[in-house]
Amino acid sequence: MPYIELKTTVSISPEKSQSLKAAFGKAIECFPGKSESWLMVNISGNQDMYFKGDNKTDCAMVSVDLLGKVSSSASEKMTSVLCGVLSEELSLAPDRIYVKYAGFSDWGWNGGNF
C-alpha cells in the first residue's frame, strides 16, 4: 500500500512519466515487503515551486507514504535511489530534491482497512 507523489518544476512528457513510474516501481522495493503490485504513483510536472527563496532553478518534492513503520535504513537507501532517478531522468540536482516519508497504521482500500 505504498504511494509515491512527485511534484516538480520540470515539464514531464508522457514517455518520461512512464519511465519515472517504472523507476519508482523498482525503488519501492527498498522497503521490505513492498512492491509495485500495490504501488500508486502521482506525477505532477510544471509546478510553481520555490526552494531556498527562489524559483530560478528546478526542484522537486517527493512524498512516500507506507502502511506500517518507515525504516530509517530503507528510507536512506530509497532517498539515494530517488535522487539518482530524478537526476538522471529530469536533470535535477540532488540538492534541489526533498524526500519525505510517512508511515500509517491505518490504510483503507476496497471499502475497508488493511
Side-chain angles (χ1 to χ4, degrees), residues 1 38 67 105-109 112-114:
M1 290 46 63
W38 284 95
L67 174 64
S105 60
D106 294 313
W107 198 289
W109 170 74
N113 283 358
F114 287 96

Side-chain angles (χ1 to χ4, degrees), residues 14 31 38 43 56 65 68 77 82 92 100:
F31 293 94
W38 284 95
I43 297 172
K56 294 179 176 123
D65 297 335
K77 183 177 177 185
L82 290 173
L92 284 166
K100 73 173 182 167

